[in-house]
Amino acid sequence: MNPKIAIIPGSNRSASLNRLVANETMRILARTDASVAFLDLTDYPLPIYDGDEESGQGIPENASLLARQLMRQDALLLISPEYNRSIPPLLKNTIDWVSRVRKIDGRPIQPFKGLVVGLASASPGRFGGSNGLEALRLVMRALGSEVLTTQCSVANASDAFDAKGALIDDHARLSLEALCESLVDVSRSLSRTAYTD
C-alpha cells in the first residue's frame, strides 16, 4: 500500500529556512511510492484559539478543512521553527484548533490520533531548532499521534542551502533522508483507516 503523507511547514514567512526544508522533503519523498500532500498554512488562516469563540461561533471552517485533510493521511511531517525553545504560535494555534474538530459529516473523528508524525526543523543556530521539536513532540504525543524517534534538525541553516534552495549540508541531508525513509516505512506498517468523503 502506498502511504499517504502530508507535509506542513510551521512558518508562513517567504524566506523561511523551514520552508526550504519542506521543499527539500518534497523532492526526497517524490522518489518514493508515497502520495504526498503539501499543506500550506497560508491557505488555512485561523483566529487565535478562544474557548468563547468556539462556544459562540463554532469551529472555523479552515480548521475543519485541515482536519478533513489529515484524516486522509497515514502520516504527517511537521517542519517547524523554534521560538524561545518552543513551538511557534502559528503552528501551535493551528494544532489547537484542529484538535477541537470532533466530527466531519456527522462522523466522529480525532484528527491526530494514530497519525504517524515526523518532526524536522531548521535554525541559523547550532542546535537547529531541536529544543522546539521536543515541545512539539510532547504535544503530538498528547494528541495520540505515533511520533517517530528519528528527527532532523538542520543547524547553521543559513549556510546549509545553495542558491536554488537545495540542501548542500551532507550531515543534514543524510538526516533528512533517514527521517523520510522512517516516515514512509512506519506509515506503511501502521496505516490507519483513512477518512474518505
Side-chain angles (χ1 to χ4, degrees):
M1 187 192 106
N2 295 358
K4 299 178 177 65
I5 300 174
I7 297 174
I8 296 180
S11 173
N12 286 346
R13 194 167 63 88
S14 59
S16 167
L17 295 167
N18 287 274
R19 292 178 77 87
L20 290 178
V21 175
N23 293 337
E24 193 71 1
T25 304
M26 290 286 290
R27 288 190 281 270
I28 294 170
L29 289 174
R31 303 196 297 263
T32 73
D33 64 349
S35 173
V36 182
F38 188 93
L39 302 180
D40 193 330
L41 296 185
T42 59
D43 296 328
Y44 302 92
L46 290 165
I48 296 296
Y49 179 77
D50 184 310
D52 289 340
E53 178 163 344
E54 181 184 358
S55 297
Q57 306 297 323
I59 302 291
E61 181 182 7
N62 281 336
S64 295
L65 289 172
L66 269 173
R68 186 185 296 268
Q69 287 276 14
L70 292 177
M71 289 302 297
R72 295 173 176 146
Q73 311 301 319
D74 299 305
L76 170 64
L77 181 57
L78 294 171
I79 304 172
S80 177
E82 175 183 308
Y83 283 24
N84 298 317
R85 298 194 175 189
S86 192
I87 308 166
L90 170 69
L91 184 56
K92 182 61 165 62
N93 187 61
T94 299
I95 292 169
D96 289 343
W97 267 121
V98 172
S99 73
R100 300 299 297 169
V101 180
R102 303 299 166 84
K103 286 187 178 181
I104 292 179
D105 300 330
R107 296 165 59 181
I109 66 162
Q110 295 183 59
F112 297 108
K113 187 172 184 180
L115 190 64
V116 176
V117 172
L119 303 177
S121 61
S123 168
R126 62 191 178 100
F127 296 114
S130 58
N131 289 311
L133 293 188
E134 290 309 305
L136 189 53
R137 181 179 299 277
L138 289 173
V139 171
M140 300 315 296
R141 281 182 174 162
L143 293 172
S145 297
E146 299 288 340
V147 186
L148 299 179
T149 301
T150 303
Q151 65 182 39
C152 174
S153 297
V154 182
N156 304 310
S158 298
D159 301 317
F161 299 88
D162 67 16
K164 295 182 179 179
L167 190 56
I168 55 175
D169 181 287
D170 289 339
H171 176 76
R173 169 166 283 285
L174 289 172
S175 177
L176 188 59
E177 288 175 348
L179 173 59
C180 289
E181 180 179 359
S182 180
L183 191 66
V184 171
D185 289 346
V186 175
S187 61
R188 183 182 286 113
S189 63
L190 295 181
S191 177
R192 62 182 189 168
T193 302
Y195 175 88
T196 55
D197 296 312

